[in-house]
Amino acid sequence: MTDSVVVDQPGEGRLAHASSDHPAVPRAKVGVVLANLGTPDATDYWSMRRYLSEFLSDKRVVDYPDWKWQPLLQLIILSKRPFSSGKAYKSIWNTEQNESPLLTITRAQTEKLTEQLKALYGDNVEVDFCMRYGNPSTRSVLTQMKEKGCEKIVFFPLYPQYASPTTATANDEAFRALMKMKWQPSIRTVPAYFDHPAYLQALANSVTDVYAELETRPTKLVASYHGVPERYLMQGDPYYCQCQKTTRLLGETLGFSLEEVDTTFQSQFGPEKWVGPATVEHVAALAKQGHKHIAILSPAFSSDCVETLEEIKEEIRDSFMEAGGETFSYIPCLNDRNDHIKALLDIVNNELLGWLPPS
């Protein structure tokens, strides 16, 4: 702010030339918001239905016309799916804090990143997190940031690879929130970071750490990414190509041969063709080919969630074991590992250039 401010209490004041009844003006700061996918508030039917309705009504996720999709979604899918999804969430639920692991981990990431950024910039920066679906909502967090004096905000979707149903919809929601504000903050959205050296090193470290604890070395490392319809690739979405490059760069960082690391895609649904190969089918094929021990990680997920803790560790593991596999080693997501936080810090610092003094 260029106008001088008379401080009435810590963190806020009023413009020196303003009248005594002028609204309080918070001290100018820069905000950093980590944005993750989302989580239901609970595992019961109505909590799951609200969450799934918001998620599956997003045109970035399912882009069919409303007249065709909404009757099917509201009358058929949402009459059954909340039960199965609730069961899946219940199997991984953080009962101690009564929340999903995704929420627990995203909060931990935010707390660690806050500590690092405060050490560099002091009270000049505010850090928080939001969810695209569920709570805390993107709109509520960005509104709070503005109320705290954040005139500039770095908005950070926690998706290493860009995709329309993830990065794009997170950014869409951020800009919809700005549309409701009388005084919009400036905003920077963080681009895909699938080839960032610190991210790749953290991924490689996570593999090395798990391999060091195993009695035998896996004969195959499977990098499983969330799937998208093949149509998205044909329409210009870079996700599939960025996933392939992530796997290649990860293998190079680890010093693995091309034959040691495979790229697969999970969580497919609906009748149209999706990018592949499908993880659940690929691991079964590996077992039948004689691979008795495989390891699997999820480079597209910044936090362990239902797709990793339930789908990979249960459904996909079962597919491998039933096909003749013997040892299935799951490599956790980067979560709040210190090397992951360092990668996030490096990325944020780059986006803060020109807004705050370089660290």
Side-chain angles (χ1 to χ4, degrees):
M1 294 190 329
T2 56
D3 292 306
S4 60
V5 175
V6 176
V7 176
D8 291 329
Q9 55 182 314
E12 66 177 40
R14 53 187 170 80
L15 297 176
H17 64 270
S19 60
S20 59
D21 61 349
H22 191 282
V25 179
R27 184 170 63 83
K29 300 178 183 179
V30 174
V32 175
V33 177
L34 302 181
N36 217 325
L37 180 72
T39 172
D41 294 323
T43 60
D44 62 276
Y45 174 84
W46 289 109
S47 295
M48 292 303 310
R49 184 179 177 113
R50 283 193 301 273
Y51 173 73
L52 291 171
S53 181
E54 183 181 10
F55 174 49
L56 295 174
S57 293
D58 185 350
K59 278 291 197 289
R60 292 284 196 178
V61 175
V62 182
D63 59 359
Y64 301 146
D66 280 345
W67 65 266
K68 179 187 293 187
W69 175 242
Q70 282 300 321
L72 176 64
L73 175 64
Q74 300 298 332
L75 299 177
I76 299 177
I77 295 174
L78 291 181
S79 66
K80 299 178 179 179
R81 188 158 177 177
F83 291 109
S84 58
S85 294
K87 182 179 179 181
Y89 269 97
K90 194 172 294 184
S91 71
I92 64 165
W93 201 250
N94 180 348
T95 54
E96 183 176 335
Q97 295 181 247
N98 192 26
E99 61 188 25
S100 74
L102 178 70
L103 181 56
T104 304
I105 294 166
T106 306
R107 183 186 298 108
Q109 291 170 332
T110 304
E111 290 172 352
K112 285 192 173 183
L113 185 61
T114 299
E115 183 179 343
Q116 297 292 320
L117 287 169
K118 292 288 187 181
L120 293 172
Y121 305 112
D123 292 334
N124 292 317
V125 64
E126 287 284 339
V127 189
D128 208 341
F129 72 94
C130 68
M131 299 294 176
R132 171 60 184 89
Y133 315 104
N135 296 304
S137 70
T138 302
R139 182 178 176 182
S140 68
V141 171
L142 290 180
T143 299
Q144 290 169 12
M145 281 283 188
K146 185 66 181 70
E147 291 172 350
K148 290 179 180 178
C150 296
E151 298 179 4
K152 300 171 182 177
I153 294 175
V154 173
F155 188 77
F156 194 167
L158 290 175
Y159 309 110
Q161 300 78 20
Y162 175 98
S164 172
T166 54
T167 311
T169 190
N171 290 338
D172 288 347
E173 192 68 6
F175 286 107
R176 274 192 287 268
L178 264 61
M179 290 172 64
K180 304 293 184 180
M181 296 182 182
K182 293 294 183 184
W183 182 3
Q184 294 177 332
S186 298
I187 192 165
R188 290 177 178 172
T189 58
V190 176
Y193 55 100
F194 65 96
D195 56 355
H196 193 284
Y199 159 71
L200 291 167
Q201 189 59 60
L203 272 184
N205 292 345
S206 72
V207 174
T208 301
D209 289 348
V210 170
Y211 273 40
E213 297 176 355
L214 300 175
E215 293 183 3
T216 60
R217 180 184 174 89
T219 56
K220 186 73 75 169
L221 174 64
V222 178
S224 179
Y225 301 81
H226 197 290
V228 293
E230 189 177 87
R231 170 171 54 89
Y232 286 28
L233 171 63
M234 297 299 104
Q235 292 172 345
D237 191 305
Y239 178 72
Y240 175 82
C241 298
Q242 291 183 1
C243 291
Q244 295 287 351
K245 188 172 182 180
T246 299
T247 302
R248 177 174 63 80
L249 294 175
L250 172 61
E252 291 176 2
T253 304
L254 287 164
F256 286 9
S257 68
L258 292 176
E259 291 73 27
E260 284 185 86
V261 191
D262 290 350
T263 300
T264 63
F265 298 87
Q266 63 186 84
S267 308
Q268 301 179 18
F269 70 92
E272 66 178 306
K273 185 178 181 182
W274 284 49
V275 296
T279 305
V280 68
E281 297 170 1
H282 187 74
V283 297
L286 288 176
K288 293 173 182 177
Q289 292 166 12
H291 292 277
K292 299 302 182 183
H293 184 185
I294 67 170
I296 188 165
L297 79 164
S298 302
F301 296 93
S302 63
S303 311
D304 273 308
C305 54
V306 70
E307 285 86 354
T308 63
L309 298 175
E310 193 276 336
E311 185 177 358
I312 288 182
K313 293 186 73 175
E314 296 182 25
E315 177 187 347
I316 291 171
R317 178 187 180 279
D318 289 348
S319 177
F320 175 69
M321 302 300 280
E322 289 169 6
E326 295 177 358
T327 306
F328 183 93
S329 299
Y330 175 66
I331 299 169
C333 292
L334 295 180
N335 297 328
D336 64 339
R337 289 174 57 105
N338 290 336
D339 48 9
H340 186 211
I341 302 304
K342 179 185 180 301
L344 300 181
L345 179 64
D346 287 352
I347 294 165
V348 169
N349 275 332
N350 183 68
E351 298 303 320
L352 288 173
L353 291 175
W355 278 3
L356 285 173
S359 58

